[in-house]
C-alpha cells in the first residue's frame, strides 16, 4: 500500500539551531501539504504545493520557516533558527487528482530544548 | 477565521456498543468533510469522507451523517472495538484547499 514517507521520525534540537524535515508523497500525487500539530490540537496548515508551486503559505512564519518542492515530487521543510515554541509534530500529506482525500505520513516529532 | 469544532473532548464506551462522535462546522461554504483517526505518535488515518451534495455515507462499520441545515457532522462507529480507541478529528474544506481541523475527540473503548 502506498504511503507518505517522512523523515526523521524524531528530532531533538537546541533553540537557534537549524532543522530540516523531508517528505516523499504518494507516487503521482500532485498536491503536497505541510501541517503542524501541537499536542492536543488538530493539525494546522503551514504550506500547500501544487506540483512545484506554492499555492498557500499564508500561515507559514516566513521569517524562520521555508519550504521547497523543487522537482514537484519530494519536499523539504526547514526551520532556522528553531524556537522553543516550534516543538510540535510536523505532518506531511498528499492528495491526487481522483479525489480530495489527503493521506498523511507518520510525522516528525520536533523537540526544541 | 472559520474553524471546525467538536462537541465533546472525550467519549467512553463499552466494547460492542455503537459510538457517535459529533462535530459542528461554521463555514457554510465548505463542501467537503472528512473524518480521521489518530493513534498516539502516528499521523491521521483516513476513515471516511462526504461531499456537501450528500447527507449520508457508509463505510465498513462507519457512517458519516451531514446536516447542512444546522452545520453538523457526525461519525457513527458500529460495534466499537478496543482497537478503535484513538483521537478522532473532523475536518472541512472547499474543494482543492487545505483542511481545517477541529480539536478532536478522544474515544476510549473498554472491554
Amino acid at each position: 500500500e502506498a504511503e507518505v514517507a517522512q523523515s526523521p521520525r524524531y528530532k531533538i534540537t537546541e533553540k537557534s539551531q537549524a532543522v530540516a524535515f523531508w517528505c516523499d508523497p504518494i507516487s503521482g500525487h500532485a498536491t503536497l501539504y505541510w501541517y503542524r500539530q501541537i499536542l492536543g490540537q488538530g493539525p494546522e496548515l503551514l504550506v500547500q504545493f501544487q506540483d512545484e508551486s506554492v499555492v498557500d503559505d499564508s500561515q507559514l512564519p516566513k521569517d524562520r520557516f521555508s519550504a521547497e518542492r523543487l522537482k514537484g515530487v519530494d519536499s523539504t521543510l526547514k526551520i532556522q533558527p528553531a524556537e522553543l515554541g516550534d516543538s510540535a509534530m510536523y505532518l506531511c500529506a498528499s492528495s491526487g487528482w481522483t479525489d480530495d482525500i489527503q493521506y498523511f505520513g507518520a510525522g516528525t516529532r520536533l523537540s526544541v530544548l | 477565521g472559520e474553524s471546525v469544532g467538536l462537541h465533546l473532548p472525550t467519549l467512553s464506551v463499552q466494547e460492542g456498543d455503537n459510538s457517535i462522535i459529533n462535530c459542528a462546522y461554521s463555514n457554510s461554504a465548505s463542501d467537503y468533510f472528512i473524518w480521521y483517526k489518530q493513534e498516539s505518535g502516528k499521523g491521521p488515518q483516513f476513515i471516511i469522507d462526504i461531499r456537501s451534495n450528500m447527507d449520508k455515507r457508509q463505510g465498513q462499520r462507519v457512517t458519516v451523517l451531514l446536516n447542512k441545515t444546522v452545520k453538523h457532522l457526525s461519525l457513527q462507529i458500529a460495534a466499537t472495538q478496543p482497537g478503535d480507541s484513538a483521537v478522532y478529528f473532523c475536518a472541512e474544506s472547499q474543494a482543492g484547499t487545505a483542511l481545517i481541523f477541529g480539536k478532536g475527540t478522544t474515544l476510549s473503548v473498554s472491554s
Side-chain angles (χ1 to χ4, degrees):
Chain A
E1 181 177 296
E3 294 183 344
V4 175
Q6 288 190 248
S7 66
R9 287 296 314 278
Y10 305 94
K11 179 68 178 179
I12 300 173
T13 191
E14 294 183 344
K15 63 180 181 179
S16 80
Q17 296 298 303
V19 293
F21 314 130
W22 178 78
C23 171
D24 192 11
I26 292 172
S27 179
H29 279 192
T31 310
L32 184 148
Y33 309 81
W34 283 101
Y35 290 86
R36 177 169 59 185
Q37 185 176 26
I38 296 170
L39 192 64
Q41 299 182 18
E44 294 182 332
L45 179 75
L46 290 172
V47 61
Q48 177 183 349
F49 288 93
Q50 182 69 33
D51 299 310
E52 68 277 6
S53 300
V54 173
V55 173
D56 183 356
D57 63 355
S58 58
Q59 301 303 310
L60 187 71
K62 299 180 187 63
D63 57 334
R64 298 185 300 108
F65 286 65
S66 64
E68 59 183 17
R69 194 185 183 198
L70 294 176
K71 296 183 179 180
V73 181
D74 59 336
S75 176
T76 302
L77 178 69
K78 297 179 181 178
I79 308 175
Q80 182 174 20
E83 295 181 352
L84 296 177
D86 295 332
S87 295
M89 174 80 89
Y90 290 82
L91 293 161
C92 180
S94 69
S95 62
W97 294 107
T98 58
D99 56 44
D100 289 319
I101 300 171
Q102 294 183 26
Y103 296 93
F104 283 81
T108 296
R109 170 70 67 186
L110 173 66
S111 295
V112 182
L113 306 178
Chain B
E2 303 286 1
S3 65
V4 175
L6 291 173
H7 291 300
L8 292 175
T10 61
L11 177 64
S12 297
V13 301
Q14 293 285 323
E15 181 178 2
D17 287 350
N18 295 331
S19 301
I20 300 176
I21 301 173
N22 295 305
C23 173
Y25 66 94
S26 56
N27 187 355
S28 57
S30 292
D31 57 9
Y32 179 73
F33 304 88
I34 189 167
W35 283 97
Y36 287 94
K37 171 187 179 183
Q38 188 172 26
E39 297 173 285
S40 181
K42 298 183 179 180
Q45 176 187 357
F46 167 74
I47 301 173
I48 192 167
D49 61 350
I50 189 168
R51 297 192 183 280
S52 58
N53 61 352
M54 302 175 67
D55 298 323
K56 179 180 179 179
R57 194 172 187 205
Q58 289 184 291
Q60 187 176 14
R61 282 202 306 121
V62 295
T63 300
V64 57
L65 299 177
L66 175 63
N67 186 329
K68 294 180 288 293
T69 301
V70 295
K71 297 180 188 172
H72 185 267
L73 192 69
S74 68
L75 176 69
Q76 300 178 3
I77 304 173
T80 313
Q81 303 167 0
D84 294 327
S85 294
V87 180
Y88 289 80
F89 291 97
C90 68
E92 63 173 318
S93 76
Q94 298 176 48
T97 65
L99 296 168
I100 299 173
F101 285 80
K103 289 185 170 61
T105 290
T106 300
L107 176 65
S108 298
V109 183
S110 54
S111 55

